[in-house]
Amino acid sequence: MVNVIGLGYIGLPTALMLASHGVEVIGTDIDQERVASLRAGNLTFQEDGLGALYQAASANGIVFTTEYPAAEMHIIAVPTPFEEDSKKVKADYIIEAVKKVLPVCEDGTILVIESTISPGTIDKFIRPLILEAGLKAGVDIHLAHAPERIIPGNMIAELENNNRTIGADGPEIGEKVKAVYETFCRGKITVTDIQTAEMTKVVENTFRDINIAYANELAKICRVQGLDVYKIIEIANQHPRVNILMPGPGVGGHCIPIDPWFLVGDFPEQARLIRAAREVNDSMPDYVLERMCSVMEQHGITEFHRVGLYGLTYKANVDDVRDAPALQLIAAIRRRFGMQRLSCYDPMVKRNLTEGQYHDFDEFLNAVDFVVLLVDHDEIKQNSEKLKDKLVLDTRNICPFDGVYRL
Ligand code: SAJ
């Protein structure tokens, strides 16, 4: 039996995937409300195919609980934020989960950490817990790291098809963990040691952060020089070995704005480029605010509620608002101009997140003169002509018509 601990964005689809492929699965979460909701058949976030997967997993007897049961393998998928000051990984949730599960572990239990962690985290924080419990890692309890690589918006297909990495103390345990993931994963699974697996995961998200930062920096340079950054990226990308990403209003989500900090926190002397990239990406909401203010000034707009922010999620077609550039922009506006009444709208966000939030696209449009496009949801891509008589600051290069302000 496999116990998945932490039924969030990664743990839930993983638990459902394993169960729907015939593995006996228990899903554990400390949040009683979340467990009650899952038991009642209400999914806690939206994702294509998650509903069908839930049905298949339920038919195969998946159980949701707040208890920690004995199991041959525990997969821990809890959040790993970073420490505000030091930027080092904050392993508290993993430590808590391991402490709670150790008392029910039998000889030979495998603890798999899925959460992203900086290299050395398992050795530094998890092995000592096992010793403290009077057990021996590698003898009584086995440790492994199996970081995920799935992208919100295409999670189910990526869970099935992406290659994966498994880090373990030796090939025997690595192969055992691999066999469990192979029940649903058709991608190549590389087995390596734990620190290599830890580093690989952090390095992948850092690669993306640095490349997005490059695109964002180019947008700023092109603005100074009066050049069209999108045209330049399009032409440059015709080079066979160049693939520049897209500038945007900032980098949100729960991985890319966080994981690179782990390296900066642990290797401040060496991680210069990584830190600079983080700073460039974190500067983007303020840059959007500068652009927004210059358009307002040019057109004599003084009231913020006549400005509409389109898109509150961290990226297109997901309902996830964690670390979303729009929320950072709202915070920046309030820092600079005090509590302003803002107008905003997002087709994916049904609950009320902030004041002045509309839930109908047309009502939102009627209420504003100036639209700041922050997320390239399909809805706006398909309806961009509705913006033709508005002032528009398009931070995602969606609007194909003239007269639109860009980054
Ligand atoms: N973004 C840009 N320009 C781009 C691409 C993205 O501004 O050209 C922005 C997005 O709008 C968003 C942020 O970056 O705000 C991050 O979005 P994303 O789609 O790049 O990444 P995530 O956070 O949804 O998922 C990433 C993925 N990692 C990589 O692509 C290396 C995913 O595979 C990981 O599983 C996930 O992080 C994770 O959980 O680690």
Side-chain angles (χ1 to χ4, degrees):
M1 190 184 74
V2 173
N3 172 221
V4 178
I5 300 173
L7 299 171
Y9 285 91
I10 302 301
L12 180 63
T14 305
L16 298 179
M17 194 57 106
L18 284 166
S20 66
H21 284 77
V23 178
E24 194 187 336
V25 178
I26 293 190
T28 298
D29 200 290
I30 49 169
D31 183 342
Q32 290 190 351
E33 252 178 60
R34 178 171 300 191
V35 168
S37 162
L38 288 170
R39 281 183 179 162
N42 300 319
L43 292 172
T44 36
F45 63 96
Q46 285 181 39
E47 177 70 34
D48 269 358
L50 199 62
L53 205 59
Y54 178 89
Q55 298 300 335
S58 299
N60 283 355
I62 191 169
V63 171
F64 300 106
T65 170
T66 51
E67 307 292 318
Y68 293 77
E72 287 141 37
M73 185 182 289
H74 297 273
I75 297 178
I76 301 178
V78 295
T80 40
F82 60 89
E83 301 276 3
E84 217 30 73
D85 297 332
S86 71
K87 309 296 188 199
K88 288 177 193 284
V89 66
K90 204 166 178 242
D92 301 21
Y93 295 113
I94 303 183
I95 293 171
E96 263 321 292
V98 170
K99 278 187 181 165
K100 287 216 172 102
V101 86
L102 273 177
V104 299
C105 283
E106 289 160 1
D107 272 5
T109 300
I110 306 178
L111 292 184
V112 181
I113 313 291
E114 268 227 21
S115 317
T116 305
I117 43 184
S118 61
T121 301
I122 289 187
D123 288 346
K124 204 162 146 198
F125 297 107
I126 311 302
R127 279 188 212 281
L129 297 178
I130 292 172
L131 257 183
E132 273 168 35
L135 299 163
K136 254 192 160 165
V139 179
D140 309 315
I141 305 282
H142 301 286
L143 290 170
H145 181 44
E148 51 71 32
R149 280 178 170 157
I150 54 178
I151 195 128
N154 195 27
M155 280 182 161
I156 310 300
E158 292 211 352
L159 257 182
E160 282 179 326
N161 297 307
N162 283 2
N163 303 329
R164 302 190 66 113
T165 318
I166 289 170
D169 283 336
E172 199 195 321
I173 298 303
E175 290 303 321
K176 274 195 180 166
V177 177
K178 182 176 173 181
V180 169
Y181 282 95
E182 261 176 350
T183 56
F184 64 83
C185 172
R186 291 194 282 261
K188 179 177 174 219
I189 303 182
T190 303
V191 175
T192 182
D193 62 90
I194 288 179
Q195 283 217 16
T196 303
E198 289 174 324
M199 183 60 126
T200 307
K201 166 69 192 189
V202 175
V203 155
E204 291 164 6
N205 279 353
T206 303
F207 174 87
R208 195 157 170 84
D209 197 43
I210 291 172
N211 282 282
I212 298 169
Y214 181 51
N216 283 332
E217 192 160 283
L218 287 181
K220 291 179 176 177
I221 292 171
C222 288
R223 168 74 31 220
V224 173
Q225 190 65 10
L227 292 170
D228 178 347
V229 68
Y230 301 103
K231 187 93 230 153
I232 285 157
I233 291 175
E234 190 191 324
I235 299 170
N237 282 350
Q238 286 166 19
H239 184 294
R241 284 171 298 283
V242 174
N243 182 18
I244 303 173
L245 297 178
M246 294 309 270
V251 170
H254 32 103
C255 305
I256 297 189
I258 295 165
D259 305 349
W261 283 126
F262 299 168
L263 293 177
V264 176
D266 285 346
F267 309 96
E269 282 305 310
Q270 292 78 18
R272 304 276 170 99
L273 173 67
I274 300 169
R275 173 190 281 277
R278 271 288 63 247
E279 285 168 356
V280 168
N281 287 337
D282 272 355
S283 75
M284 291 312 288
D286 279 308
Y287 181 71
V288 173
L289 179 55
E290 289 308 317
R291 297 282 302 132
M292 193 175 130
C293 289
S294 95
V295 176
M296 287 171 75
E297 204 179 298
Q298 236 173 295
H299 294 271
I301 301 173
T302 50
E303 290 167 308
F304 274 94
H305 70 95
R306 300 300 298 169
V307 182
L309 307 183
Y310 179 95
L312 296 168
T313 62
Y314 84 93
K315 66 174 187 180
N317 306 322
V318 298
D319 63 354
D320 190 339
V321 296
R322 282 177 297 172
D323 242 323
L327 302 183
Q328 296 175 45
L329 174 63
I330 293 172
I333 295 170
R334 296 202 163 135
R335 259 195 317 272
R336 192 152 142 198
F337 298 100
M339 266 317 269
Q340 295 290 334
R341 216 191 96 212
L342 293 159
S343 300
C344 51
Y345 163 76
D346 191 308
M348 302 295 293
V349 181
K350 308 285 179 230
R351 68 208 157 98
N352 265 330
L353 265 190
T354 176
E355 250 187 292
Q357 186 177 341
Y358 288 81
H359 293 281
D360 180 90
F361 188 29
D362 293 318
E363 264 178 45
F364 163 73
L365 285 181
N366 286 336
V368 300
D369 305 313
F370 174 25
V371 178
V372 182
L373 287 181
L374 296 166
V375 184
D376 45 344
H377 287 308
D378 285 347
E379 181 202 57
I380 189 71
K381 284 196 191 154
Q382 286 151 13
N383 290 289
S384 63
E385 81 289 347
K386 286 195 176 180
L387 299 173
K388 273 197 158 148
D389 57 348
K390 303 276 177 205
L391 280 169
V392 178
L393 170 60
D394 179 0
T395 69
R396 298 276 188 182
N397 200 27
I398 310 163
C399 290
F401 39 89
D402 289 342
V404 168
Y405 293 90
R406 296 179 204 275
L407 270 183

